[in-house]
Amino acid sequence: MGPESVRAKAFYVSTPIYYVNDAPHLGHAYTTCAADVLARWHRQRGEHVWFLTGTDEHGQKIMRTAEANRVSPQEWSDRLVEESWKPLWEHLEIANNDFIRTTQKRHTDRVQEFVQDLYDKGEIYKGGYEGPYCVGCEEYKLPGELLDGDGEYAGQKLCPIHRKPVEILSEENYFFKLSDYGDKLLAHYEANPDFIQPESARNEVLNFVRQGLQDLSISRSTFDWGIPIPWDPKHVIYVWVDALLNYATAVGYNENPDKFESTFPADVHLVGKDILRFHAVIWPAMLMAQGLPLPRKIAANGWLMVGGEKMSKSNLTGIKPQDLTSHFGVDAYRWYFLRAIAFGQDGSFSWEDFTARYTSELANDYGNLASRLAAMVGKYFDGTLPEATAEDEAAKAIHDSLVTAVAEADRRIGDELDFQGGILAVFDFIKQVNGYLTEQEPWKVAKDDSEDARARLATILYTAAESLRAVAVLLNPVMPETSQRLWNSLGAEASLGALSDQKVQEAGGWGKLPAGTIVTKGAVLFPRLEETAQA
C-alpha cells in the first residue's frame, strides 16, 4: 500500500483541459486563476489538494489548425504547450499538481481501455448519423439550436456559440447509449442540488435533459487525428470522450489504484459555461455506465466580455494576459477578475475599471495601510513591534471584525466558490483597520510622552500590524507574491514561519504576531500605475 492509500481523500479540483488551437487568452486564464485560488485556499485549510490542468490536443479543429500552419498536429501541440500554455501558467503563479496532455501515453492507453470496457458491457453500438456539425465545438448540433446567418453567411445555419456555418456530416459511427441515462441523471441532479452551479447553469442542464437525450456518437471516421477505437482502428474516439477522461486518467485510472482511490472523483470541476453540457451530462453518464463515482460539483463560470462579445480568438477580441500583467502586475491581475466579476455570471472587462479598482482598493486601501504601519513603527518604535498593553473597545472591535471576516471569506471561497464575496469580506476588514487608524490618530498620540499614551500608541500599532498579519494569510491564495512581501516586512521569517503553513481558519486568532519582531518598510506593495497607453 502506497502513502496515498492511508491518506484521506484529496480535495481534487480541475480546470477544463484547453484546446491548443491557439495561445491562451483572458478567458482561459480566468478559469485557471479561479481554480488556483480554490486549490491554494484548501491547502491553507490544511487539506491534501490535487489540482489538475492540461491541454486537449486531438480532434478536427487541432488537425485543421496544424495543417494551416504546415506542421503535424503533434508538432503544433508540442509548440503551443511548451511556448504558450505552460509558460503562461508559470507566469501567473498557477500552482497545479499535474499537467495532463491528451497525447500522452498515460492518457491514450487508459482511454482505449475505458471505451473497450463500455463496448464489452454493451453500452456502445455501431450506427449511422447525419447532422449539422460545428468543428469549433467538435459537436453535432440540434437543428433547433442553430441560428440563421446573414451577410456573408446569408442562407446558412450558424453555430450559436461560434457564429460560423455548421457542416453537414454523414458517417458511420459508434454510439454510446446516452439516452438510457436521462432519468438517472435527473435523479442525481434532484438528490444533489449543488451538483451543478450556479442555479442558472443547473436549470439549463435540467431543461436540456428533460427534453430527452439522444445517443452520443463517440467515434469519427472522416479524419485520423485522435485515439483509435481499439476494436476498429478505422475510427478514432470522439474528442470529447477522449478529453473528459483526462480527469480519471491523470489520477491513476486503471494504472495506480491507490492514487485513484485517494483522489477520484473530483470535488470541483471548474468549466466555462459553453462546455457545461459535456461535463454535467455526458461525463456523469459515462461514469454511471462504468460504475464509477460522480464528481461532487460542476461549477460553470460565465463569459468574459469585451465590447459586449464573448472573448475568444475566433471573434478577434482575445487579449493576452501579459498585456495586463505587464501594466498592473501578476498579483493584481489574479485579484481583479475574481474581485470584479461574480463567479458564474458573465462579466465585462475594461481597462478603466481595472485601473480604478487597482488605485482605490489595492494601492490606497491595502498598500497604503501596510506602508503607514511600517513607517509609524519605524518612526515611533525604531522598527520594533511594541507590545499591546492598553487594549480598549476600539481594539476589541477590530478583533471581532477579523473573526467575522475570516469566517465569511472561508465560507464563501472555500465552500461556495464565491470568490468575489470572499475577497470583499477581506477588503471590508482592511477598510475597518484604516478607519481604526484614522479614528485613533496615532500620530497625535505619539506627541504625548506619558506612559499611558505610550501604551496606547503601542496598542494601536500592534492592532494594525496583527490585522495585516491576518490579511496576508487570507489573501495569500489570491495574491501570493504580495502576501509574501507583506509577511516578510512584518518580520515573518524570524517570528512566524512560512506563510504557506498558515491556515486560513486560524488567521482570526489574535496575538500571533509576537511583540519585538522587526518591522521593515519594503517596496510599496502596489506601486502607482504608469500613465501608459492601453495595451
Side-chain angles (χ1 to χ4, degrees):
M1 298 281 282
E4 296 282 355
S5 63
V6 297
R7 178 188 284 158
K9 183 193 173 303
F11 180 81
Y12 177 15
V13 58
S14 75
T15 71
I17 52 171
Y18 302 108
Y19 271 132
V20 291
N21 60 309
D22 211 330
H25 57 61
L26 295 189
H28 303 118
Y30 175 52
T31 309
T32 306
C33 284
D36 185 65
V37 170
L38 185 63
R40 287 174 181 266
W41 194 274
H42 279 265
R43 289 189 188 113
Q44 281 193 236
R45 279 181 166 183
E47 299 173 31
H48 173 51
V49 172
W50 195 260
F51 171 24
L52 175 69
T53 190
T55 44
D56 184 2
E57 302 176 14
H58 289 132
Q60 195 170 19
K61 181 160 59 173
I62 305 300
M63 186 181 73
R64 289 185 177 180
T65 302
E67 288 173 349
N69 286 273
R70 299 182 180 179
V71 295
S72 72
Q74 188 66 65
E75 289 173 315
W76 176 259
S77 299
D78 291 345
R79 179 193 303 173
L80 264 290
V81 168
E82 297 303 328
E83 296 180 5
S84 297
W85 290 88
K86 285 185 175 180
L88 177 62
W89 298 158
E90 291 172 8
H91 175 63
L92 294 179
E93 302 179 62
I94 305 301
N96 51 295
N97 296 93
D98 194 5
F99 189 102
I100 182 99
R101 299 180 57 185
T102 57
T103 52
Q104 291 172 331
K105 186 174 175 61
R106 63 165 171 159
H107 175 75
T108 58
D109 287 356
R110 303 291 87 76
V111 169
Q112 287 188 312
E113 291 165 5
F114 187 100
V115 173
Q116 180 71 60
D117 198 24
L118 288 185
Y119 182 70
D120 293 343
K121 290 177 177 177
E123 296 284 347
I124 292 174
Y125 65 91
K126 196 172 189 179
Y129 191 80
E130 179 176 292
Y133 190 80
C134 172
V135 174
C137 291
E138 297 279 12
E139 179 187 25
Y140 281 104
K141 296 293 181 180
L142 297 175
E145 295 180 290
L146 302 178
L147 304 176
D148 292 322
D150 54 21
E152 64 174 313
Y153 299 137
Q156 301 183 69
K157 293 293 185 178
L158 309 184
C159 166
I161 294 175
H162 290 89
R163 307 297 176 104
K164 290 189 175 181
V166 295
E167 302 175 15
I168 302 299
L169 293 188
S170 177
E171 56 182 333
E172 187 178 61
N173 294 332
Y174 288 94
F175 288 81
F176 167 57
K177 295 179 180 178
L178 182 63
S179 60
D180 288 353
Y181 291 90
D183 289 342
K184 296 175 183 176
L185 288 167
L186 290 172
H188 185 78
Y189 303 152
E190 183 176 351
N192 300 274
D194 293 333
F195 179 66
I196 303 169
Q197 293 187 352
E199 189 69 20
S200 58
R202 171 181 161 81
N203 291 336
E204 176 196 324
V205 171
L206 282 170
N207 291 335
F208 176 75
V209 176
R210 283 169 179 160
Q211 292 171 13
L213 297 176
Q214 296 183 346
D215 288 345
L216 176 70
S217 172
I218 60 103
S219 74
R220 299 289 182 266
S221 58
T222 55
F223 59 91
D224 61 0
W225 180 237
I227 302 173
I229 291 279
W231 65 88
D232 190 349
K234 296 190 299 294
H235 293 250
V236 294
I237 296 169
Y238 174 40
V239 67
W240 267 107
V241 173
D242 166 1
L244 289 165
L245 281 168
N246 93 90
Y247 304 124
T249 62
V251 295
Y253 170 75
N254 258 19
E255 185 174 26
N256 186 337
D258 286 348
K259 182 176 182 179
F260 189 70
E261 184 177 348
S262 65
T263 311
F264 195 85
D267 291 85
V268 182
H269 287 311
L270 292 182
V271 302
K273 69 177 183 179
D274 51 336
I275 56 174
L276 174 62
R277 291 181 190 175
F278 298 103
H279 287 81
V281 179
I282 296 174
W283 177 226
M286 288 166 54
L287 293 173
M288 287 177 174
Q290 198 65 287
L292 292 172
L294 272 56
R296 188 173 65 86
K297 187 177 295 185
I298 311 289
N301 62 257
W303 285 338
L304 291 186
M305 317 291 281
V306 175
E309 290 192 351
K310 172 179 175 282
M311 186 180 307
S312 68
K313 288 295 181 184
S314 61
N315 65 16
L316 303 181
T317 58
I319 299 173
K320 293 190 300 182
Q322 295 92 330
D323 294 339
L324 300 183
T325 60
S326 63
H327 183 70
F328 295 99
V330 169
D331 272 12
Y333 175 96
R334 289 170 58 96
W335 168 85
Y336 170 75
F337 288 98
L338 298 180
R339 157 65 184 92
I341 300 168
F343 195 79
Q345 299 179 17
D346 293 346
S348 292
F349 159 77
S350 79
W351 191 273
E352 293 76 16
D353 184 61
F354 197 160
T355 299
R357 292 185 190 277
Y358 178 102
T359 301
S360 172
E361 297 178 41
L362 294 185
N364 293 349
D365 289 347
Y366 183 21
N368 191 43
L369 173 61
S371 295
R372 290 166 72 199
L373 179 277
M376 286 189 287
V377 173
K379 181 176 182 179
Y380 304 133
F381 292 94
D382 296 324
T384 301
L385 186 68
E387 184 178 1
T389 59
E391 292 202 353
D392 55 12
E393 287 302 314
K396 180 65 165 58
I398 295 296
H399 305 184
D400 294 343
S401 293
L402 175 59
V403 171
T404 300
V406 170
E408 181 83 352
D410 192 37
R411 175 176 61 84
R412 288 186 177 273
I413 295 176
D415 299 329
E416 300 174 1
L417 310 188
D418 179 6
F419 301 101
Q420 183 186 64
I423 291 170
L424 284 175
V426 179
F427 274 78
D428 283 345
F429 175 69
I430 290 171
K431 290 179 181 178
Q432 290 179 55
V433 179
N434 275 312
Y436 169 78
L437 286 181
T438 300
E439 292 167 3
Q440 298 301 309
E441 299 181 310
W443 46 90
K444 288 187 178 179
V445 177
K447 296 177 181 178
D448 186 341
D449 292 331
S450 70
E451 186 175 332
D452 287 347
R454 195 73 179 157
R456 183 175 167 225
L457 178 62
T459 300
I460 295 168
L461 297 187
Y462 182 87
T463 299
E466 175 66 351
S467 297
L468 281 169
R469 175 204 61 80
V471 167
V473 174
L474 292 172
L475 292 180
N476 188 41
V478 182
M479 297 187 282
E481 192 270 337
T482 301
S483 290
Q484 188 63 57
R485 285 198 285 127
L486 174 57
W487 196 251
N488 293 343
S489 78
L490 294 171
E493 291 183 359
S495 62
L496 288 177
L499 175 56
S500 59
D501 292 337
Q502 307 299 309
K503 293 183 172 56
V504 289
Q505 295 100 324
E506 298 171 3
W510 198 259
K512 295 185 178 181
L513 184 59
T517 191
I518 303 302
V519 177
T520 56
K521 187 173 183 179
V524 174
L525 294 184
F526 300 100
R528 182 177 177 179
L529 296 173
E530 296 295 329
E531 297 296 327
T532 56
Q534 178 174 327

